[in-house]
Amino acid sequence: MSGARKTGPKLEAGERGHRRSAETRGEYEGYLSKLTKEAGFTFFGRIFALLFGFIASAIIARVLGPDVLGVYVLAWAVVLAATILTTFGFEGSFVKYISIYVAQGKSREARAVYMRGIHFGVIAALIATAAIVFLRRPIAYTFFKEPRLERALLFMALAMVPYTLTRLQAAGLRALKDMKRSIIGAEFGFRIPRLTVFLVLYYVGLKYHRPDLGLLGVVLASVAASITSALVTFVYLKKSGPYLFDHSRKAEIPTGELVRYSASMLAETATAFALLEGSRLILGFFLESTEVGIYNIVVLLAMIATLFTFSFNAIFSPIIADIYHRGRIELMKSLLTAITRWIVLLTLPVYGWIILSGEAVLGIFGNEFVRGYPALVILATAQLLNSTAGSIASCLAMTKYQRYNVYNTMIMAVVSVGLNIWLIPRMGIVGAAIATACSIVLINIARLVEGRLLLEVMPYDRSTLKVVATGALLVAAALLLRGTPLAPTTWYWAGAALAASYAVAFGLTAVMGIREEDRMVIRAVLQKVLHTR
């Protein structure tokens, strides 16, 4: 009898543990399915936007040439730098606080967060517009020693307010987990109008024999595109979250906490800008605008390797904010491992393709751009390594350890700027690529250590070894084929090489074995692509 009495509670406890395990498993699969479907659309949306942007950049680069393109890149970089201040880290605050408040059914508080950010952004953008107009001459003549930049900045300043609104409104859509409209508004709403307006203005310049309209045309096209994307994201956000615009729904929120978090995000965004974009500005300071134009195309191509990292992490961040504040740490660990494996697996074929076809792809923009191939391989290598640990940054940002992201980016930004100043005068764009790559690698090492010590998470498990083996074989094949008659020399063979790279990667993955949760991911992707349920 005593043995039976002891066994009963044990069995009941075991049954409860089994039920909890089943519930956790079901929740895990639900989140993984959502991550895959949303990230799937984000990827396909971004890949379409990237392809369109690739074509648009090729047209603009071939029309303007690397010299004029470099002047435009510098003018746009000044606007990007200014919007770091005008958005004041509210992009990150929107993703964290709006998603939390909406999940808790507190739509009034969500609206209060949104309105704080929008009011600040508009006022700050107006001040930044006046500052750029007032300081355009010293920026052009004293800092960059490029007279053409003065006129470009005069008109480019008009993009400050609409571009600030675009960034904030797109962040609001991400917070509501509406990645589809965020991508369409911010990506398509900008890229398509920019190319359209540029071609119209360039045609007008040819018609009236005004070649100087090339630079002015692309600047005005960027301003028009910023206005369009601001309007599109506004309309989409009003549809996705109408309560954010309900003036009758006022609420008090912890403003101090919001400002402190936004300030930390501002520091992270500013240092991330210095880390990733500072190379262009330092190139413009030391070298001719031609080098800036070539390096800009190199960065554009290297960013292809970030597509999957961004796609998964964009929807991963609000999910992390939700499940972490519900105390579901084990669930967060499982999701981190799963999405990291898929991010790396999907990024590897792009990396192998860049090694094999990089010169052919650069040639699409013009023969002058081909010499950027060594810098392209260096940056792509860094972005591949970034895909292995980048998701930990989302875990830190959406938990109580956001400050460590700030520390990471601040330290690495200093390293990046220092290396750029040292290497660019000696090695040109290759030096800029090495400086940026070193910083990206170091920051990801720091993320791995912090993830382990602070959250007790690691983005790898034993299945990672299969991904490493797949990557090693894929990269070895690309290196062996490079320099042979099989290496692509035209854009269409380069496209065929990318398809072949994915076929090899998925073939190797199938041979090494596919886990059940990976089958679930594949089914979710196919459902998204085929629009089935």
Side-chain angles (χ1 to χ4, degrees):
M1 291 291 293
S2 60
R5 283 193 297 270
K6 290 179 182 179
T7 304
K10 288 183 180 180
L11 286 174
E12 288 180 9
E15 289 174 359
R16 286 197 300 271
H18 178 72
R19 283 197 298 270
R20 283 197 297 270
S21 176
E23 290 171 2
T24 300
R25 179 66 182 177
E27 191 174 9
Y28 167 74
E29 291 181 353
Y31 273 122
L32 186 59
S33 178
K34 179 177 180 58
L35 270 165
T36 305
K37 290 179 180 179
E38 293 296 332
F41 177 84
T42 305
F43 167 70
F44 286 115
R46 281 186 65 84
I47 196 64
F48 186 81
L50 185 67
L51 286 174
F52 184 87
F54 181 90
I55 295 170
S57 297
I59 293 172
I60 293 172
R62 293 189 76 91
V63 169
L64 299 181
D67 177 39
V68 178
L69 177 64
V71 178
Y72 163 70
V73 169
L74 290 175
W76 186 245
V78 171
V79 170
L80 290 178
T83 54
I84 293 173
L85 299 176
T86 60
T87 55
F88 192 71
F90 277 104
E91 290 173 284
S93 295
F94 283 6
V95 172
K96 179 178 181 178
Y97 288 101
I98 291 179
S99 61
I100 290 174
Y101 283 137
V102 170
Q104 296 173 348
K106 299 179 178 179
S107 57
R108 293 183 180 183
E109 287 77 4
R111 177 194 176 276
V113 172
Y114 175 73
M115 295 310 298
R116 293 278 200 286
I118 290 295
H119 288 160
F120 179 91
V122 171
I123 294 172
L126 290 171
I127 295 172
T129 301
I132 292 174
V133 171
F134 181 74
L135 297 173
R136 69 186 187 280
R137 187 173 180 83
I139 292 174
Y141 285 86
T142 304
F143 190 84
F144 292 112
K145 302 175 180 63
E146 176 52 72
R148 292 171 294 179
L149 190 58
E150 180 184 6
R151 188 186 186 198
L153 286 173
L154 176 63
F155 292 98
M156 191 67 87
L158 299 175
M160 281 303 313
V161 173
Y163 191 68
T164 297
L165 289 173
T166 294
R167 290 182 60 164
L168 292 174
Q169 289 162 176
L173 287 166
R174 292 199 301 275
L176 299 178
K177 301 181 180 66
D178 193 345
M179 292 304 303
K180 178 178 180 179
R181 286 172 171 165
S182 178
I183 293 294
I184 292 174
E187 296 286 349
F188 299 135
F190 181 85
R191 296 177 187 271
I192 295 175
R194 185 183 63 166
L195 179 61
T196 303
V197 175
F198 170 71
L199 291 176
V200 170
L201 293 177
Y202 180 70
Y203 173 76
V204 171
L206 288 180
K207 184 176 180 181
Y208 293 99
H209 306 288
R210 291 285 304 278
D212 60 308
L213 284 180
L215 176 58
L216 181 60
V218 73
V219 168
L220 292 177
S222 298
V223 174
S226 298
I227 295 171
T228 303
S229 58
L231 291 173
V232 173
T233 51
F234 172 77
V235 171
Y236 280 159
L237 187 59
K238 202 164 185 179
K239 290 181 179 179
S240 295
Y243 45 83
L244 297 178
F245 301 89
D246 186 353
H247 296 286
S248 65
R249 301 172 64 84
K250 296 183 179 180
E252 293 297 324
I253 57 173
T255 303
E257 178 185 344
L258 177 65
V259 171
R260 285 191 297 272
Y261 185 82
S262 297
S264 68
M265 291 299 296
L266 168 64
E268 181 183 355
T269 305
T271 49
F273 176 86
L275 183 65
L276 298 175
E277 304 291 339
S279 300
R280 292 183 177 95
L281 298 175
I282 299 173
L283 274 169
F285 180 80
F286 283 110
L287 303 177
E288 300 294 328
S289 59
T290 298
E291 302 301 304
V292 179
I294 294 174
Y295 187 73
N296 181 69
I297 297 301
V298 167
V299 172
L300 172 68
L301 292 178
M303 292 300 289
I304 297 175
T306 68
L307 275 173
F308 297 100
T309 305
F310 175 87
S311 299
F312 277 92
N313 289 340
I315 192 62
F316 189 42
S317 293
I319 287 177
I320 286 296
D322 177 21
I323 63 178
Y324 177 79
H325 285 84
R326 291 195 288 116
R328 308 303 300 273
I329 307 301
E330 292 301 320
L331 180 59
M332 182 179 72
K333 293 179 181 179
S334 300
L335 289 171
L336 174 65
T337 303
I339 70 164
T340 298
R341 183 171 64 253
W342 273 93
I343 288 172
V344 177
L345 180 61
L346 293 170
T347 301
L348 278 168
V350 176
Y351 178 65
W353 172 70
I354 286 175
I355 292 176
L356 180 62
S357 311
E359 289 173 317
V361 178
L362 284 167
I364 297 172
F365 297 86
N367 293 330
E368 306 96 323
F369 294 91
V370 175
R371 61 186 177 89
Y373 174 77
L376 173 60
V377 172
I378 293 169
L379 286 178
T381 302
Q383 294 299 351
L384 173 63
L385 295 175
N386 182 52
S387 71
T388 67
S391 297
I392 295 181
S394 297
C395 295
L396 294 172
M398 295 297 118
T399 61
K400 61 182 180 180
Y401 300 110
Q402 162 60 24
R403 63 186 183 278
Y404 288 93
N405 274 337
V406 178
Y407 302 153
N408 293 341
T409 50
M410 287 179 65
I411 294 171
M412 296 313 156
V414 173
V415 172
S416 177
V417 170
L419 287 175
N420 271 296
I421 293 173
W422 180 46
L423 293 174
I424 285 175
R426 293 166 175 79
M427 304 176 68
I429 60 176
V430 171
I434 292 174
T436 301
C438 288
S439 302
I440 292 174
V441 171
L442 289 174
I443 200 172
N444 279 286
I445 293 174
R447 286 169 178 166
L448 287 171
V449 174
E450 291 157 0
R452 181 61 178 171
L453 295 179
L454 301 175
L455 294 170
E456 298 183 354
V457 299
M458 282 294 286
Y460 318 124
D461 58 14
R462 275 182 285 184
S463 66
T464 306
L465 294 175
K466 296 179 181 179
V467 179
V468 172
T470 298
L473 292 172
L474 195 64
V475 172
L479 290 172
L480 288 173
L481 289 175
R482 177 174 160 74
T484 71
L486 294 176
T489 57
T490 59
W491 66 267
Y492 45 86
W493 282 116
L498 180 60
S501 185
Y502 272 102
V504 170
F506 290 147
L508 290 172
T509 301
V511 168
M512 294 180 189
I514 300 178
R515 299 170 59 170
E516 178 55 36
E517 62 185 20
D518 293 334
R519 297 179 190 277
M520 184 179 68
V521 169
I522 294 171
R523 287 194 298 269
V525 171
L526 291 176
Q527 288 174 359
K528 191 70 177 179
V529 174
L530 300 175
H531 301 285
T532 61
R533 296 291 178 183

